[in-house]
Amino acid sequence: MARTKGQHVEKKKSKTAQVTKAKSVKGGKAAKASSKQSMTTAVGRPVTDDQTSVTAKTTENSGYVMLQDTYLVEKLAHFTRERIPERIVHAKGAGAYGYFEVTDDISKYTCAKFLNKVGKKTPLFIRFSTVGGEKGSADSARDPRGFAIKIYTEDGNYDIVGNNTPIFFIRDAIKFPDFIHTQKRDPQTGLKDATMFWDFLSLTPESVHQVTFLFSDRGTPANFRHMNGFASNTWMFYNDKGETWWFKWHFKTDQGIKNLTAQEAEELAGSDPDHSTRDLFESIEKGDYPSWTAYVQIMTPQQAKKYRFDPFDVTKVLFHKDFPLIRVGRIVLNKNPENFFAEVEQAAFAPSNIVPGIYPSPDKMLQARLFAYNDAHRYRLGVNSEMIPVNQPKGTTVYSNERDGHMNTGRNFGPTANYYPNSVNPYGEADGIPEAPVITFRDAAIARHRVPETDDDDFFQAGEIWRRVLSDYDRDHLISNLAGHMGGALKRIQYRQTALFYKADKEYGTRLSEALDLDVKKVKSLAAMSDQERAAATANGTKW
C-alpha cells in the first residue's frame, strides 16, 4: 500500500495556489480565463477526451475499439516503453512448468485442439507476480497477483493472461497508463503516495468493485499456491460448425484459499519479502505439486444481449447463479525452471496469442491488450522474443515471413522466400482450420473481408492507360522495359504476369507475349481463369 507524504502535499498545493494568484494579479483581464493547461498529444494536438477510446458504438454496448484512435495507440505505445529492461507492471514474479489436463468434454463449444479429448495433457508454463511493485518489492504487498499461463498447443501457443481477481479497476485501456502511474511513485519525491492512489480511484468510480476485492484479505494472498486465477476478460468459443459462445476462464486452487492479514503481510515484507517465490519453488522441489481446477462460464450471444450487466465490461462479473461454472480440466505444476532469468524473467505472455476455437470479444480492455502486450515484449525483449526458449511453441513447426531483427537466434528460415503469395517454396495458407465465424455487430460484420474478384476494378484502368494515354512511342518503351525486366523471372511466372496484362488489354498482353517469346494461346487461357485457378496452373512443378 502507498504511504502518504503528509504535509508535503499541502505545502505543494499552497505554493501552486500562490503562483496562480500571482499570475492572476499580473495578468489583468487574462486572469479571468481558465488557468488550466490543455492536455495535448506528443506533437501538441489538444486532447478533448482522455478517458474514452474511439469505438464503433452500438445500442448494446460501447463497441469495438478502432485502430484509428491514434491517441490511444500513442498512450499505450509510449507507456510500454517507459522502463527498461524491467516489466512496467508485473515486474516481481515466479514461475514453473506443468501441464493442462482435460477432465471434461466441452468440444461442443470449441474446436480448440488442446481441449478436444478427455485425458489429453498439454505442457504449459505459468508466471505468478505482483502488479505494481518493482522487481525487488515484497511478495506480500496489497496488490493483485498476476496469473499468466502459456499453453504449448499443437496449433501454437495459447496465452491466458489474467490475475487472481475476476475483475479489474478500469474498463477502458486508455486510462491504464494513468492508473499504473498512481500505483508507482510520485514524480517529485520518488515515494509511494496515498494521495495519488486515491485521487485517481475516487475520480474513477468503476474501480470500486476491484478496490473492494483488493482491500479484503484476498488482496494479500498467503502465497501463489493458495489463490485462484482468472482470465478476467470475456472471450469467444467457436466450434467447427460456426456456432459461438462467450466465456470466462476460472482457475480454482486445489490447495484452498489462504490469505494474510495486514499485520502478517507487513511482518513478512520485513522478514521474508520473497516468501511466495520461495514457497512455490520449494513446494515443487519436494514433490508437493500445486494444482488448480479449470472452469469456464458459458453465455450464448442471445443471453449476452439481454444480461443485466455488459458482459464485455471487465469491471463486472457474471454471477454464478446465472452462469454456473463448468469444469474443463486441471493445471498441475511439477517442474521448476533451471534458470530464473532465462525462463521466468524472459517469459512473455500476450492475450493476442490465441488458437483456432478461441477469439476475442469486444471488451474494450481486451481489445487494447491485444496490441499492448506484444508491443511491450518487442520493446523489453526485442522483436524476436518468441525465439527465446520459454516462449517458443513446442507442439508445432513455426514458419512465417517475419525475418531478421535484433537478436535473431534461429536460422532465419534459411533460403525460403520471405513473401506471400509465392510459388517457389512449400509454405502456404493452412487448410482445414476453422476460421472464426463472422461476428455480426449491429451494422458491422467483423471478419477477414476479402475483396471479390472483378475485372473492372483491377484491370480496366490499366487497359485505359494502354488504349488512351500512351503514344505508340510510349507503348514500345513499355513493352521493352517489361520484357527486359521480366526476362529474368521463371518462365511460369512470366506467363502468369503476362496474363494479367492481357486481361487489361488484349493487344498489351499479346505484344508482351511476343517480346518474351511466350505462347499467346496459353497466355489467353490463363487470362480467362480466376486468380486461384491461374495460381494453381502456374504453381511450382507445372509445365509452363
Side-chain angles (χ1 to χ4, degrees):
M1 281 189 60
R3 297 181 184 274
T4 181
K5 294 186 295 186
Q7 295 180 350
H8 173 75
V9 175
E10 297 305 321
K11 287 180 180 178
K12 188 162 64 174
K13 288 179 180 177
S14 176
K15 183 177 180 181
T16 302
Q18 291 171 8
V19 171
T20 304
K21 183 177 179 181
K23 288 181 178 178
S24 298
V25 172
K26 186 177 180 180
K29 292 182 180 180
K32 294 181 181 179
S34 173
S35 61
K36 186 176 181 180
Q37 175 65 44
S38 171
M39 295 176 66
T40 72
T41 66
V43 294
R45 189 185 75 215
V47 172
T48 58
D49 189 344
D50 185 58
Q51 298 289 288
T52 310
S53 299
V54 176
T55 59
K57 181 78 166 64
T58 75
T59 57
E60 294 171 4
N61 53 56
S62 55
Y64 282 93
V65 174
M66 306 299 289
L67 190 59
Q68 73 178 48
D69 189 349
T70 55
Y71 181 53
L72 166 64
V73 173
E74 175 189 304
K75 286 188 71 172
L76 292 175
H78 184 92
F79 176 69
T80 57
R81 291 164 173 81
E82 285 185 1
R83 300 288 187 274
I84 183 172
E86 184 176 283
R87 284 174 168 88
I88 306 297
V89 288
H90 300 277
K92 175 72 180 296
Y97 295 94
Y99 60 86
F100 185 104
E101 180 180 10
V102 178
T103 58
D104 297 80
D105 182 11
I106 64 163
S107 58
K108 69 178 182 180
Y109 297 115
T110 177
C111 54
K113 291 180 183 176
F114 81 99
L115 295 173
N116 67 2
K117 183 180 179 182
V118 172
K120 186 171 186 175
K121 293 181 179 180
T122 306
L124 57 75
F125 182 81
I126 291 185
R127 185 177 185 270
F128 306 103
S129 56
T130 52
V131 177
E134 299 89 356
K135 192 172 182 298
S137 58
D139 287 347
S140 60
R142 184 174 299 282
D143 202 10
R145 301 297 191 267
F147 200 108
I149 311 168
K150 186 179 294 294
I151 305 176
Y152 304 103
T153 86
E154 59 265 61
D155 279 329
N157 291 349
Y158 173 43
D159 289 358
I160 304 172
V161 191
N163 290 321
N164 69 320
T165 61
I167 66 291
F168 197 60
F169 296 90
I170 53 176
R171 65 173 66 98
D172 191 323
I174 202 166
K175 303 178 184 180
F176 188 70
D178 305 284
F179 165 64
I180 293 299
H181 286 165
T182 72
Q183 312 300 296
K184 296 289 187 177
R185 296 178 179 273
D186 179 270
Q188 180 182 25
T189 66
L191 301 173
K192 293 292 186 74
D193 183 4
T195 295
M196 291 169 55
F197 187 96
W198 292 109
D199 185 28
F200 178 88
L201 294 176
S202 64
L203 292 170
T204 312
E206 68 210 58
S207 66
V208 71
H209 190 183
Q210 172 76 315
V211 170
T212 301
F213 194 110
L214 179 64
F215 280 82
S216 72
D217 282 349
R218 290 203 178 190
T220 50
N223 52 59
F224 299 135
R225 294 184 303 123
H226 290 91
M227 68 181 193
N228 293 335
F230 305 88
S232 302
N233 299 111
T234 299
W235 289 83
M236 175 190 281
F237 272 148
Y238 65 91
N239 61 22
D240 52 12
K241 299 177 183 177
E243 299 169 323
T244 65
W245 293 264
W246 302 114
F247 79 97
K248 285 180 177 283
W249 279 113
H250 297 251
F251 303 96
K252 300 289 188 180
T253 175
D254 295 330
Q255 290 71 237
I257 294 286
K258 289 185 181 179
N259 301 306
L260 302 171
T261 65
Q263 182 177 349
E264 290 170 336
E266 187 173 356
E267 290 173 354
L268 271 174
S271 64
D272 189 2
D274 302 318
H275 73 279
S276 290
T277 304
R278 187 188 320 281
D279 173 81
L280 179 67
F281 185 89
E282 291 181 350
S283 296
I284 294 174
E285 201 70 3
K286 67 184 180 183
D288 183 11
Y289 301 140
S291 63
W292 288 260
T293 301
Y295 300 89
V296 290
Q297 285 180 289
I298 300 281
M299 169 186 275
T300 67
Q302 293 73 28
Q303 290 171 319
K305 292 178 181 179
K306 298 177 181 178
Y307 196 50
R308 59 179 294 191
F309 304 112
D310 180 357
F312 310 121
D313 181 348
V314 75
T315 68
K316 306 290 193 299
V317 298
L318 305 181
F319 289 144
H320 289 192
K321 65 181 178 63
D322 299 325
F323 303 97
L325 296 182
I326 299 172
R327 192 176 68 176
V328 179
R330 67 178 189 137
I331 287 172
V332 177
L333 299 182
N334 58 7
K335 181 178 181 295
N336 279 316
E338 294 183 1
N339 184 281
F340 191 88
F341 175 81
E343 296 163 271
V344 179
E345 286 305 293
Q346 293 197 123
F349 302 85
S352 53
N353 294 340
I354 56 177
V355 293
I358 296 170
Y359 203 70
S361 79
D363 180 327
K364 291 172 73 173
M365 277 294 294
L366 174 58
Q367 288 285 312
R369 294 176 77 208
L370 298 175
F371 156 76
Y373 279 62
N374 266 326
D375 189 53
H377 304 323
R378 293 181 191 106
Y379 161 68
R380 190 175 69 89
L381 299 171
V383 72
N384 289 306
S385 62
E386 72 281 351
M387 291 185 177
I388 298 170
V390 69
N391 300 322
Q392 288 177 356
K394 304 290 192 290
T396 185
T397 300
V398 173
Y399 174 81
S400 78
N401 289 324
E402 295 163 9
R403 297 288 196 274
D404 310 338
H406 183 64
M407 288 301 292
N408 188 313
T409 60
R411 290 186 61 246
N412 208 25
F413 299 107
T416 56
N418 63 347
Y419 59 91
Y420 190 82
N422 75 69
S423 59
V424 296
N425 68 39
Y427 296 101
E429 295 172 333
D431 295 323
I433 304 295
E435 271 285 352
V438 175
I439 304 169
T440 303
F441 202 69
R442 286 299 185 185
D443 294 332
I446 311 299
R448 296 187 187 276
H449 299 290
R450 294 203 176 192
V451 177
E453 292 181 36
T454 57
D455 286 357
D456 282 353
D457 280 354
D458 290 334
F459 303 106
F460 176 76
Q461 292 188 5
E464 286 292 273
I465 291 177
W466 176 269
R467 291 183 290 269
R468 299 178 183 275
V469 177
L470 300 182
S471 66
D472 289 342
Y473 177 86
D474 292 330
R475 292 191 191 102
D476 290 343
H477 278 221
L478 173 59
I479 296 300
S480 175
N481 294 338
L482 285 171
H485 198 284
M486 288 174 62
L490 295 173
K491 187 64 70 173
R492 60 187 176 84
I493 294 176
Q494 293 180 29
Y495 270 104
R496 187 194 305 154
Q497 181 61 44
T498 304
L500 302 184
F501 294 127
Y502 190 93
K503 287 172 72 69
D505 186 274
K506 292 180 181 179
E507 181 188 15
Y508 186 7
T510 299
R511 286 189 57 180
L512 182 58
S513 299
E514 293 169 348
L516 289 168
D517 196 23
L518 303 180
D519 186 333
V520 178
K521 291 182 180 180
K522 290 183 178 180
V523 171
K524 182 178 179 180
S525 67
L526 284 170
M529 297 179 183
S530 69
D531 289 350
Q532 290 80 8
E533 291 169 340
R534 189 164 46 251
T538 56
N540 191 16
T542 55
K543 298 177 181 179
W544 287 94

